[in-house]
Amino acid sequence: CGNFFSAIGGNLGAGVYFTSLMLAMGASEAYICYTGTIASICGLFQFLSPLIMERFPRRKGLITLLRSIYHFLNIVVIGILPLLPITNSVKLILFMVTLVIVNITANLASPGMSIWHFQCLPTQKRINFLAVNNITSMIFSYTSAFLAGLLLDKFELEAISLGNIPPTLSAILLLRVVALVMAVIENIFFYKIKEDPYPVSTNHNTRMGLKFLLMPLKNRKFMTTISIM
């Protein structure tokens, strides 16, 4: 069930509604493109996740903490930035800094969460679970996006606003409140999943891990291809 609430909350707090928040702060097209690049770069931090997670025999608490920080920054902090009495340029700087932290936090937690959840699934049932989970999560995600779109249209057409906040931004903020509720329910359901102790690695070679992480940056052909893309 936690995956369903995660799909709904993630869809309401990101995607086109994420872009709308940036536009509300006066972001340019180039700025919006940079945010996508930042998200891709921060994805490299998944390589560091095992270096942290393998130090703990139980990781559920750490993963839940990281997910909570991720949801708070992504939904609450980013959501209130357009309302702050500061210039748009400062808002966009704060947005980018918060976005970096959000993506790093999410990528540090993601591998550990997958292993934790797979730990509870019998091997013979994993394929069926993934198939059903992907289909149902997609249904919940698209349904929530459709209903959210109807809500935005209603706010815009009928000029519904929360105080002095413009109608579209009012609808987006309302959606982020719903996303926050989904995030809380997600964490509750996920935390109820049992966790068996993991074998703790005695070989914490952090220097080797960082060397492995930076290895692609030293490959000229790889960096040329990435630069072209």
Side-chain angles (χ1 to χ4, degrees), residues 104-117:
I104 290 175
T105 306
N107 283 294
L108 287 178
S110 181
M113 188 165 66
S114 299
I115 294 173
W116 164 29
H117 293 173

Side-chain angles (χ1 to χ4, degrees), residues 89-152:
S89 58
V90 177
K91 290 179 184 178
L92 291 174
I93 292 173
L94 293 176
F95 182 93
M96 187 64 77
V97 172
T98 308
L99 185 65
V100 170
I101 300 173
V102 162
N103 281 283
I104 290 175
T105 306
N107 283 294
L108 287 178
S110 181
M113 188 165 66
S114 299
I115 294 173
W116 164 29
H117 293 173
F118 265 62
Q119 182 192 61
C120 305
L121 292 172
T123 305
Q124 64 274 18
K125 294 184 177 180
R126 289 178 181 176
I127 296 178
N128 290 336
F129 171 80
L130 287 175
V132 173
N133 178 69
N134 288 340
I135 293 173
T136 50
S137 295
M138 190 180 301
I139 292 173
F140 274 87
S141 180
Y142 288 155
T143 303
S144 62
F146 175 73
L147 295 176
L150 292 179
L151 178 67
L152 261 70

Side-chain angles (χ1 to χ4, degrees), residues 48-76:
L48 295 179
S49 180
L51 299 178
I52 299 174
M53 296 297 175
E54 289 182 3
R55 297 173 182 268
F56 302 95
R58 293 188 181 275
R59 306 161 190 173
K60 181 165 68 172
L62 176 60
I63 294 171
T64 304
L65 175 62
L66 289 173
R67 291 291 295 177
S68 299
I69 294 173
Y70 161 77
H71 285 309
F72 177 76
L73 293 176
N74 187 45
I75 298 173
V76 179

